[in-house]
């Protein structure tokens, strides 16, 4: 399938575009600067410029489009700028897709639109699923609510299938190895201090699992996805202790219903994506951190190195003396030549 990904150079876009390409799709990435993505045809374009989305998508005419582009972090710009930029960009892109008769169009939303950033927020039910009321508490969350309604509008009025998804706190591959996450903390820091992960209700998802979700969405029957939204998250919480033990101190808005979250269970339900699309995440923070730690351990010395070291110790030869001897031999060989 020929797939366009907007915002392909971003934290989620990089993994999404390259994984879709690896899965066999013909992927074109659109962003203001290229990221050097393997297997992706990257186009440099500012989709916020007047007419840019209509012109670019009209020329490409893909089979499917995944819209990620926009201001991706709450409070990273003035509230008015976030609201106007995200909503106008989404409308331009989805409208261009409708005009180009793109068969499938998927827009990125966010769990934040249910309103948990507000101190007064209380969960209507736990675990939280797609039926939970929308109560945005900032411009970023409000922009996502508008984007969802924009997708529903085109689902009602345009040919093809339009939908949206709510990826949880996205962790890209390099962040398992210690790179800062989008809030500036490392994964290890978020685990060590539950207050950091509680800001997003302990939710997270590996960017590569999001790509797996999108691949499943692209392959699903149209009646399973048209006008529909999905939470996309990990199958566990980003916490070393059960959320049932943490919510009273760190996330009181969840309420007593969170006591039912046993073991590693997450706050956000991904059952709808599993039931309708057959998608399930394949990565969790325990295995990913363990793999990153193992990859960072220096390789064990080879048997020959160990034998030589033991021989040197027996002979009273230091490593420095052996290197000096090797340097002298190399110098003699060079002069002879």
């Amino acid at each position: 399938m020929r797939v366009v990904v907007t915002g392909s150079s971003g934290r989620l876009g990089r993994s999404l575009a390259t994984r879709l390409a690896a899965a066999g799709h013909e992927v074109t990435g659109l962003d203001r600067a290229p990221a050097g993505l393997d297997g992706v045809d990257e186009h440099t374009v500012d989709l916020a410029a007047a007419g840019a989305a209509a012109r670019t998508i009209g020329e490409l005419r893909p089979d499917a489009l995944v819209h990620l582009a926009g201001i991706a972090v709450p409070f990273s710009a003035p509230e008015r700028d976030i609201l106007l930029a995200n909503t106008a960009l989404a409308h331009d892109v989805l409208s261009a897709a409708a005009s180009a008769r793109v068969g499938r169009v998927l827009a990125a939303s966010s769990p934040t639109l249910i309103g948990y950033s507000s101190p007064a927020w209380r969960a209507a039910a736990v675990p939280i699923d797609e039926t939970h009321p929308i109560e945005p508490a900032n411009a970023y969350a409000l922009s996502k609510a508008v984007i969802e309604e924009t997708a529903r509008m085109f689902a009602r009025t345009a040919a093809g299938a339009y939908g949206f998804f709510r990826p949880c706190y996205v962790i890209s591959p390099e962040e398992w190895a210690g790179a800062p996450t989008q809030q500036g903390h490392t994964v290890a820091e978020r685990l060590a201090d539950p207050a950091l992960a509680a800001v997003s209700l302990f939710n997270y998802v590996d960017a590569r699992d999001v790509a797996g979700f999108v691949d499943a969405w692209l392959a699903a029957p149209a009646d399973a996805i048209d006008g529909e939204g999905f939470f996309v998250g990990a199958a566990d919480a980003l916490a070393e202790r059960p959320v049932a033990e943490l919510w009273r101190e760190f996330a009181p808005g969840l309420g007593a219903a969170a006591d039912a979250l046993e073991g590693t269970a997450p706050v956000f339900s991904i059952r709808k994506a599993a039931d309708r699309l057959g998608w399930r995440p394949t990565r969790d923070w325990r295995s990913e951190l363990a793999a990153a730690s193992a990859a960072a351990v220096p390789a064990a010395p080879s048997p020959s190195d160990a034998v030589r070291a033991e021989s040197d110790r027996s002979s009273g030869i230091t490593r420095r003396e052996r290197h000096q001897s090797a340097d002298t031999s190399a110098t003699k060989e060079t002069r002879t030549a």
Side-chain angles (χ1 to χ4, degrees):
M1 186 177 289
R2 294 179 298 113
V3 183
V4 163
V5 177
T6 72
S8 55
S9 295
R11 166 179 276 103
L12 176 56
R14 295 190 300 273
S15 290
L16 177 59
T18 54
R19 299 292 287 193
L20 289 180
H25 297 284
E26 183 181 326
V27 180
T28 299
L30 306 181
D31 213 313
R32 290 182 292 183
L37 305 176
D38 289 341
V40 178
D41 181 19
E42 296 181 85
H43 289 214
T44 301
V45 58
D46 182 0
L47 292 170
R55 181 174 59 256
T56 304
I57 296 168
E59 291 173 353
L60 293 170
R61 294 193 173 272
D63 302 313
L65 182 146
V66 183
H67 177 57
L68 307 178
I71 299 175
V73 180
F75 308 113
S76 59
E79 291 285 85
R80 183 176 185 275
D81 292 352
I82 292 175
L83 180 62
L84 294 180
N86 285 355
T87 55
L89 183 57
H91 183 272
D92 283 355
V93 169
L94 271 60
S95 178
S99 297
R101 302 187 69 82
V102 177
R104 298 194 171 217
V105 181
L106 179 64
S109 181
S110 167
T112 60
L113 53 59
I114 68 170
Y116 53 77
S117 64
S118 169
W121 178 81
R122 295 295 180 268
V126 178
I128 295 168
D129 64 17
E130 292 81 358
T131 66
H132 194 284
I134 293 174
E135 302 172 351
N138 54 61
Y140 174 80
L142 179 58
S143 77
K144 295 301 183 178
V146 175
I147 288 170
E148 290 190 2
E149 199 54 50
T150 302
R152 291 192 185 98
M153 180 184 74
F154 283 105
R156 294 190 298 269
T157 61
Y162 285 73
F164 57 88
F165 69 110
R166 300 168 178 171
C168 289
Y169 191 86
V170 174
I171 298 178
S172 57
E174 65 272 13
E175 291 166 5
W176 295 118
T181 63
Q182 70 179 36
Q183 288 185 336
H185 315 105
T186 66
V187 176
E189 288 170 338
R190 292 176 74 82
L191 287 166
D193 183 357
L196 299 178
V199 171
S200 54
L201 300 184
F202 308 100
N203 76 56
Y204 79 102
V205 66
D206 187 290
R208 295 163 294 183
D209 277 334
V210 179
F213 163 82
V214 173
D215 194 29
W217 188 92
L218 293 173
D223 60 1
I225 59 175
D226 196 23
E228 296 291 336
F230 298 86
F231 277 116
V232 179
D236 63 340
L238 190 66
E240 294 180 329
R241 294 156 53 199
V243 173
E245 297 179 9
L246 297 171
W247 73 265
R248 286 177 173 81
E249 180 178 359
F250 299 104
L254 288 174
D259 286 336
L261 295 173
E262 299 179 352
T264 62
V267 172
F268 290 89
S269 170
I270 53 175
R271 183 173 179 176
K272 182 178 179 181
D275 290 347
R276 294 207 182 191
L277 309 181
W279 171 82
R280 290 174 176 80
T282 61
R283 295 170 176 83
D284 63 83
W285 66 262
R286 291 171 177 83
S287 58
E288 292 302 317
L289 285 180
S293 177
V297 175
S302 67
S304 60
D305 288 340
V307 169
R308 183 165 59 183
E310 180 60 33
S311 176
D312 287 349
R313 283 194 294 272
S314 299
S315 304
I317 300 173
T318 67
R319 180 183 300 178
R320 182 175 182 180
E321 289 169 337
R322 174 158 51 80
H323 284 197
Q324 287 174 337
S325 176
D327 291 343
T328 302
S329 298
T331 302
K332 288 180 180 178
E333 290 173 2
T334 302
R335 289 175 180 170
T336 302

